[in-house]
Amino acid sequence: MPATQNEKDTVSFTVEDRIAWVKYNRPEKRNAQSPQLNRRMYEVIDELEFREDVGLLVLTGEGDSWCAGMDLKEYFRETESQGLKGTRKAQSEAYRWWRRLRWYQKPTIAMVNGWCFGGAYGPLFACDLAFAADEAKFGLSEINWGILPGGGATKVATSSMPFRDAMYHAMTGEAIDGKKAAEWKLVNESVPLKDLRKRVLEIAHVLLKKNPVALKATKDAVRRVTEMTYENAEDYLIRAQEAANFFDNDGRKEGIRQFIDEKSFKPGIGTYDVNRKK
Ligand code: ACO
């Protein structure tokens, strides 16, 4: 069923210079994830994924919040009142867009401009890279209102943070700022809010210059091999490279040519010109 106008308004997006800026757009509710928002977000990222004018997606929030987690009223209370069926439906609508984003065709960056709680850790982790404002606040606040950090949030914490920090974070529900989140590796970096967009743009432009087939293969490889034995990873990476070669047979050959024959760049220092082919 297509989204109603109300539902459409829960997410906004623009495409500028090959960057899709996707925004949580419920600032009056601190961008909490309601079922409507989750449904709309899936539609938006679906629409953008294979657009030729989109090379990269940034996920950010309208107003002073990135995302205040799940909407306690609309996602929990109202769906629970419909029984297990309601709960499961709401879960699957949320989880499916996070999963879609985890394996997104284009590189993705979380630009965390403010509050980031609980259920927001799913999309945070789904983004390949994450940059936060020093002023942002992160918390597994579930424990503060009496549940465990579900929806993958515990897994996100233990995947990103050292054990002791993850345990402390989950058990105390204490919020940390962007700097601490960077120290605990929940995000790549934290910068003052006024510099956040500029920093994200810098990284976006670095990624936009890379070979897109190699980039997708690389980001999937990093996620996949994390849970593999060395032997399995070695095998997976051989197959993944072969598959990438199938989709972009000339890319690596052109990279070698520009380095060895043309001497126009050095791979240790920069990227080959993906737009130029002999
Ligand atoms: N669910 C539902 N409504 C929310 C949520 C949420 N997660 N977060 C904010 N809101 C609503 C508030 O109820 C309020 O609605 P109202 O204007 O109709 O009264 C509005 O958004 C503004 O919220 P305030 O609390 O007034 O905003 P403030 O800027 O003072 O505080 C803060 C922001 C700290 C984010 C606070 O709103 C908060 O603690 N929210 C809940 C965060 C949280 O714990 N989320 C759940 C994580 S666990 C999980 O996701 C599974």
Side-chain angles (χ1 to χ4, degrees):
M1 205 169 50
T4 60
Q5 189 54 44
N6 260 356
E7 195 162 310
K8 275 194 170 153
D9 293 342
T10 58
V11 177
S12 66
F13 67 94
T14 54
V15 177
E16 295 158 38
D17 300 329
R18 306 200 58 228
I19 302 173
W21 298 89
V22 177
K23 275 190 178 178
Y24 285 103
N25 192 32
R26 299 182 73 215
E28 72 290 354
K29 297 288 179 189
R30 304 300 178 264
N31 297 326
Q33 296 172 129
S34 61
Q36 285 195 337
L37 182 143
N38 289 326
R39 284 194 292 271
R40 182 58 185 153
M41 196 59 99
Y42 188 88
E43 282 182 354
V44 167
I45 63 175
D46 179 50
E47 179 185 328
L48 292 168
E49 186 165 21
F50 292 100
R51 260 174 62 166
E52 290 204 354
D53 60 339
V54 172
L56 180 143
L57 183 149
V58 176
L59 181 61
T60 190
E62 189 60 63
D64 63 0
S65 183
W66 192 65
C67 169
M70 309 319 290
D71 187 305
L72 267 55
K73 177 170 168 282
E74 295 184 33
Y75 177 84
F76 284 109
R77 189 159 72 189
E78 289 176 4
T79 61
E80 273 168 25
S81 70
Q82 298 159 25
L84 189 59
K85 189 175 168 204
T87 301
R88 288 283 185 267
K89 179 169 182 289
Q91 280 168 349
S92 77
E93 286 168 348
Y95 298 175
R96 76 174 183 153
W97 78 263
W98 305 345
R99 189 178 312 118
R100 182 78 182 262
L101 205 57
R102 280 201 303 280
W103 303 103
Y104 210 59
Q105 185 67 28
K106 313 285 167 65
T108 54
I109 303 178
M111 183 170 102
V112 185
N113 52 303
W115 308 110
C116 178
F117 290 108
Y121 281 36
L124 177 71
F125 182 70
C127 290
D128 304 321
L129 300 174
F131 290 78
D134 293 344
E135 296 89 334
K137 284 275 192 293
F138 295 78
L140 286 181
S141 54
E142 285 88 340
I143 197 69
N144 294 340
W145 62 279
I147 68 163
L148 64 79
T154 300
K155 180 68 179 160
V156 174
T158 57
S159 302
S160 316
M161 301 173 179
F163 172 78
R164 286 287 168 216
D165 295 330
M167 190 65 94
Y168 183 94
H169 199 53
M171 289 183 72
T172 65
E174 232 175 73
I176 57 173
D177 64 13
K179 283 185 185 170
K180 188 60 121 182
E183 192 187 312
W184 283 0
K185 303 298 179 202
L186 196 52
V187 297
N188 292 91
E189 259 178 62
S190 158
V191 296
L193 180 60
K194 66 178 177 40
D195 302 326
L196 184 59
R197 188 182 160 92
K198 185 167 153 268
R199 181 66 184 128
V200 166
L201 269 172
E202 271 172 22
I203 299 299
H205 286 299
V206 169
L207 298 178
L208 285 169
K209 291 198 181 80
K210 308 289 184 197
N211 176 320
V213 174
L215 212 46
K216 165 69 172 151
T218 299
K219 63 184 219 154
D220 286 1
V222 171
R223 285 189 192 271
R224 293 280 185 213
V225 302
T226 306
E227 293 183 356
M228 290 182 191
T229 61
Y230 193 96
E231 298 301 320
N232 287 345
E234 192 176 69
D235 192 53
Y236 166 85
L237 293 168
I238 289 169
R239 316 276 155 223
Q241 181 60 59
E242 284 168 1
N245 291 350
F246 177 78
F247 283 105
D248 182 41
N249 213 358
D250 295 331
R252 73 197 193 290
K253 292 182 187 162
E254 176 62 15
I256 294 174
R257 190 190 70 76
Q258 289 181 20
F259 176 49
I260 299 291
D261 304 331
E262 201 178 89
K263 299 195 185 305
S264 55
F265 88 111
K266 294 179 192 291
I269 299 173
T271 304
Y272 82 101
D273 183 350
V274 292
N275 297 315
R276 210 154 48 78
K277 289 198 173 76
K278 194 172 178 231

